[in-house]
Amino acid sequence: MISTTAIGTALLLVMVWLLLVPMPERLDTERAFRAARDCAPGTTATDCLHSVPAVIERTREHGGKTPSHWMYLKTAEGDQPTLYFKGNQRSTFDGLAGKRIHVTYWEGSVRYIDWADARWYTAADPRGAYRPFLAWGLALGSAGLGLILIGLWWARGYATTRLRYPWQPGVLIAGTIVLGTAGGLIPWSTHRWQTALQVYGVVGAAVAAGCAFAAAALHRANARKTTDTVAIEPVIPTEETILSGIVRGDVPYGGVLGGGCLIADAEGLSIIPDPNYRNHPKLIPATLEPLRVRPPYRTDPDGLDLGDACLVLECRDGDTPVYVAAARQSMPLVLGALVSAHQLAQK
């Protein structure tokens, strides 16, 4: 609870800084650039558009999924700027060496070039420079909000369930991922930051509605259940199979040595430390009686955890409770091996 809330708060503060400090600066620069007019003849001001004839000396391309391009020029004023272009311009950059163009300066940098009735903006184009800050702000803010909501649930709702992996944080995590992804992509597909925020708000409302619907449906489904027992049919192993599994309980084959891997075969269930150490498996006795399969609980013994995809088999060896954790797809073989060992002991 403390960690998720602290990290979430930090991410929200980063979002506030991104949206209130660097983003407005880029917006002001973009507005000034769009409002700039051509310089008067003979002036040297930097806040107007200063166009100069130039010759392309050579071009260079850096390959990749979106190739980047460099253009080396010599202007009529004697300058030799190197221009950088982002994006795929492969078809328009071939054979440009020696061509005469016009470059336009603003605030000391070349912002675009004109050639053959076309205008190419350089990487110094200030239009849309706010987008990375808005995208990161919305994505990080979404993640921060989701973490805070998860932290609040751990504080208020954790005591309502004994499950080790309850469904409520999963719904919040899914909603956070969807909203964060949308926040990171929306600024790149809209032309104005106001539009991006409006679309993000609509997506946020849709995500909230979807999470509420999913939570209500899951709550109703769980309320109809009379037990959390998972129905698993035993499958008798036809060959030796190594499974990931953990055994815990106050028995000789439990404890520290009861974790790692299990060997399921027609003779029963055995424990080995890892798949490569199979010389002396520790056989689980036929006195181990399986009772039921269920999800992992917070009250389970320490170390009885294979992640949220595992199930726990409650057993008894005499009067001693024993727990076997294994993946859901492995549990039929675990049950089958124990049933097979019990049947062999009765013969």
Side-chain angles (χ1 to χ4, degrees), residues 184-204:
L185 296 177
I186 288 172
W188 303 101
S189 57
T190 54
H191 297 291
R192 300 170 65 246
W193 66 271
Q194 297 94 332
T195 305
L197 291 180
Q198 292 171 357
V199 175
Y200 177 77
V202 172
V203 174

Side-chain angles (χ1 to χ4, degrees), residues 119-210:
R119 176 164 291 177
W120 300 339
Y121 286 88
T122 69
D125 178 17
R127 301 175 309 159
Y130 69 89
R131 286 193 176 99
F133 302 96
L134 180 57
W136 276 107
L138 295 180
L140 294 178
S142 301
L145 177 61
L147 287 174
I148 289 176
L149 292 176
I150 292 172
L152 291 176
W153 184 87
W154 285 116
R156 299 179 60 87
Y158 187 52
T160 64
T161 177
R162 57 181 175 177
L163 294 177
R164 180 170 291 175
Y165 301 103
W167 58 265
Q168 290 91 342
V171 173
L172 293 174
I173 291 172
T176 299
I177 292 174
V178 173
L179 186 59
T181 302
L185 296 177
I186 288 172
W188 303 101
S189 57
T190 54
H191 297 291
R192 300 170 65 246
W193 66 271
Q194 297 94 332
T195 305
L197 291 180
Q198 292 171 357
V199 175
Y200 177 77
V202 172
V203 174
V207 170

Side-chain angles (χ1 to χ4, degrees), residues 14-61:
V14 172
M15 178 199 71
V16 171
W17 180 81
L18 288 172
L19 298 187
L20 296 184
V21 179
M23 179 178 153
E25 293 176 356
R26 270 60 178 188
L27 289 172
D28 290 342
T29 302
E30 177 179 343
R31 283 190 288 266
F33 174 70
R34 291 182 182 275
R37 297 293 180 262
D38 292 338
C39 295
T43 60
T44 57
T46 60
D47 58 350
C48 57
L49 301 176
H50 178 51
S51 183
V52 182
V55 176
I56 302 175
E57 294 187 331
R58 62 187 179 93
T59 61
R60 181 168 64 90
E61 176 186 309

Side-chain angles (χ1 to χ4, degrees), residues 13-335:
L13 292 176
V14 172
M15 178 199 71
V16 171
W17 180 81
L18 288 172
L19 298 187
L20 296 184
V21 179
M23 179 178 153
E25 293 176 356
R26 270 60 178 188
L27 289 172
D28 290 342
T29 302
E30 177 179 343
R31 283 190 288 266
F33 174 70
R34 291 182 182 275
R37 297 293 180 262
D38 292 338
C39 295
T43 60
T44 57
T46 60
D47 58 350
C48 57
L49 301 176
H50 178 51
S51 183
V52 182
V55 176
I56 302 175
E57 294 187 331
R58 62 187 179 93
T59 61
R60 181 168 64 90
E61 176 186 309
H62 178 71
K65 292 184 178 180
T66 55
S68 301
H69 302 266
W70 282 263
M71 181 179 291
Y72 300 85
L73 310 177
K74 186 174 183 179
T75 70
E77 296 177 343
D79 296 331
Q80 293 182 308
T82 299
L83 309 184
Y84 171 57
F85 296 83
K86 295 182 291 186
N88 191 350
Q89 304 266 2
R90 186 185 304 273
S91 60
T92 56
F93 270 66
D94 293 338
L96 290 184
K99 300 294 184 181
R100 295 185 177 276
I101 62 174
H102 279 79
V103 299
T104 299
Y105 288 85
W106 183 75
E107 296 291 347
S109 298
V110 177
R111 307 296 177 163
Y112 57 84
I113 66 172
D114 292 292
W115 178 74
D117 297 326
R119 176 164 291 177
W120 300 339
Y121 286 88
T122 69
D125 178 17
R127 301 175 309 159
Y130 69 89
R131 286 193 176 99
F133 302 96
L134 180 57
W136 276 107
L138 295 180
L140 294 178
S142 301
L145 177 61
L147 287 174
I148 289 176
L149 292 176
I150 292 172
L152 291 176
W153 184 87
W154 285 116
R156 299 179 60 87
Y158 187 52
T160 64
T161 177
R162 57 181 175 177
L163 294 177
R164 180 170 291 175
Y165 301 103
W167 58 265
Q168 290 91 342
V171 173
L172 293 174
I173 291 172
T176 299
I177 292 174
V178 173
L179 186 59
T181 302
L185 296 177
I186 288 172
W188 303 101
S189 57
T190 54
H191 297 291
R192 300 170 65 246
W193 66 271
Q194 297 94 332
T195 305
L197 291 180
Q198 292 171 357
V199 175
Y200 177 77
V202 172
V203 174
V207 170
C211 289
F213 176 80
L218 289 171
H219 179 73
R220 290 189 61 184
N222 285 311
R224 289 196 298 265
K225 293 181 180 179
T226 58
T227 177
D228 60 358
T229 298
V230 180
I232 300 289
E233 290 295 328
V235 175
I236 305 297
T238 57
E239 59 182 5
E240 183 179 278
T241 305
I242 298 179
L243 312 168
S244 295
I246 300 174
V247 180
R248 288 290 183 268
D250 190 14
V251 290
Y253 50 88
V256 177
L257 296 179
C261 295
L262 304 175
I263 298 179
D265 55 32
E267 296 182 357
L269 195 65
S270 303
I271 302 171
I272 55 175
D274 60 70
N276 298 319
Y277 188 79
R278 302 169 56 184
N279 293 331
H280 302 287
K282 183 183 290 292
L283 181 65
I284 295 178
T287 54
L288 184 67
E289 179 185 1
L291 300 178
R292 72 178 186 120
V293 180
R294 58 163 174 79
Y297 288 166
R298 300 197 314 267
T299 54
D300 287 334
D302 292 340
L304 192 74
D305 189 5
L306 289 176
D308 57 356
C310 83
L311 294 174
V312 174
L313 173 62
E314 289 184 359
C315 307
R316 280 198 174 275
D317 193 339
D319 293 331
T320 305
V322 179
Y323 305 91
V324 181
R328 180 180 292 268
Q329 64 270 22
S330 302
M331 193 57 75
L333 289 177
V334 172
L335 281 170

